[in-house]
Amino acid sequence: MDKMIKITNFMHKISFAAVNNTTKPKRRIVMKKVLALVLSLVLMLGGSAAALAETAQSIPPLSQISSNPNSATFTWRSDVSTQDVEKKEICYTEIGITKRSSTSVSIYQITETNAKAAAIQGWMFVQRWNNNKWEKYATCEFNKGNTTLCETAYTVSVESGYYYRLAVTHLAVFVDSDNSSRNTYSQSVYVN
């Protein structure tokens, strides 16, 4: 913005000098040329301003950016006061993403059920903010049988210069009951 003001002031000085050093008919021609030059500069600056605006738009909403620049976690726990003790279900989840370097993040998930499940399984999706939306970047699976607790961790290679978050689909399979599932999302971290 400051560059545009300086260029405009400079162009104003040039046009003023050019107009004052010519006769009246020539002033119009000189003024048209100066205005054409100013307009072309403004259009060129407008193009770069649009590129800067696109860069600013490539940042996720602030509510989706972690206040900790290196990691983001999310924890969900079912409300024990409303939990149906007869129903077998997922009762606790925790997920996290941590920036390890300019080319890697570590991710983890914890899924717990209130009764033994035939299997606790799911998918961990590393998502990248690109073109103003979250897109799937990498997928890791987890699966543990005959348990109430499943913990999984991975290190994932990523590209520098993007925001990344973790999205997890948790699924508990029970032999004599309905399945239980939950989707969770972390806030994002910037990898640079």
Side-chain angles (χ1 to χ4, degrees):
M1 188 63 141
D2 290 336
K3 286 182 181 180
M4 190 167 179
I5 292 170
K6 288 178 183 177
I7 290 172
T8 304
N9 288 341
F10 176 73
M11 294 308 297
H12 178 68
K13 287 177 185 177
I14 290 173
S15 65
F16 183 73
V19 170
N20 284 336
N21 292 333
T22 60
T23 63
K24 195 167 192 168
K26 287 185 179 180
R27 283 184 191 168
R28 285 188 180 159
I29 294 170
V30 171
M31 194 61 167
K32 285 180 183 179
K33 288 180 181 180
V34 169
L35 287 174
L37 181 61
V38 170
L39 181 60
S40 65
L41 283 173
V42 168
L43 289 174
M44 285 190 309
L45 286 175
S48 65
L52 290 174
E54 176 58 32
T55 302
Q57 291 175 356
S58 66
I59 297 173
L62 290 177
S63 63
Q64 296 179 12
I65 298 174
S66 175
S67 58
N68 180 338
N70 294 315
S71 67
T73 60
F74 176 77
T75 302
W76 174 85
R77 183 182 314 272
S78 69
D79 185 359
V80 178
S81 65
T82 61
Q83 185 176 354
D84 183 357
V85 293
E86 299 292 320
K87 185 175 182 182
K88 298 176 182 178
E89 61 186 353
I90 295 172
C91 62
Y92 176 83
T93 64
E94 182 179 326
I95 64 171
I97 184 168
T98 301
K99 177 176 118 177
R100 287 287 171 221
S101 70
S102 62
T103 59
S104 69
V105 295
S106 62
I107 57 173
Y108 77 91
Q109 75 79 33
I110 301 170
T111 306
E112 188 174 357
T113 59
N114 64 350
K116 189 173 278 190
I120 297 176
Q121 59 192 31
W123 301 268
M124 303 166 71
F125 304 101
V126 175
Q127 296 180 328
R128 175 174 73 176
W129 184 260
N130 193 26
N131 294 323
N132 295 321
K133 66 181 187 290
W134 290 109
E135 64 183 17
K136 185 170 63 171
Y137 185 79
T139 304
C140 301
E141 294 183 24
F142 59 93
N143 188 349
K144 188 173 180 185
N146 198 28
T147 188
T148 60
L149 180 65
C150 179
E151 299 176 283
T152 313
Y154 292 99
T155 298
V156 178
S157 295
V158 296
E159 292 179 50
S160 183
Y162 292 92
Y163 282 89
Y164 292 91
R165 75 174 183 181
L166 180 61
V168 180
T169 297
H170 311 262
L171 177 64
V173 179
F174 297 99
V175 174
D176 56 351
S177 180
D178 292 335
N179 296 339
S180 176
S181 66
R182 178 152 304 277
N183 294 317
T184 55
Y185 302 87
S186 74
Q187 290 183 315
S188 61
V189 294
Y190 184 71
V191 176
N192 58 350

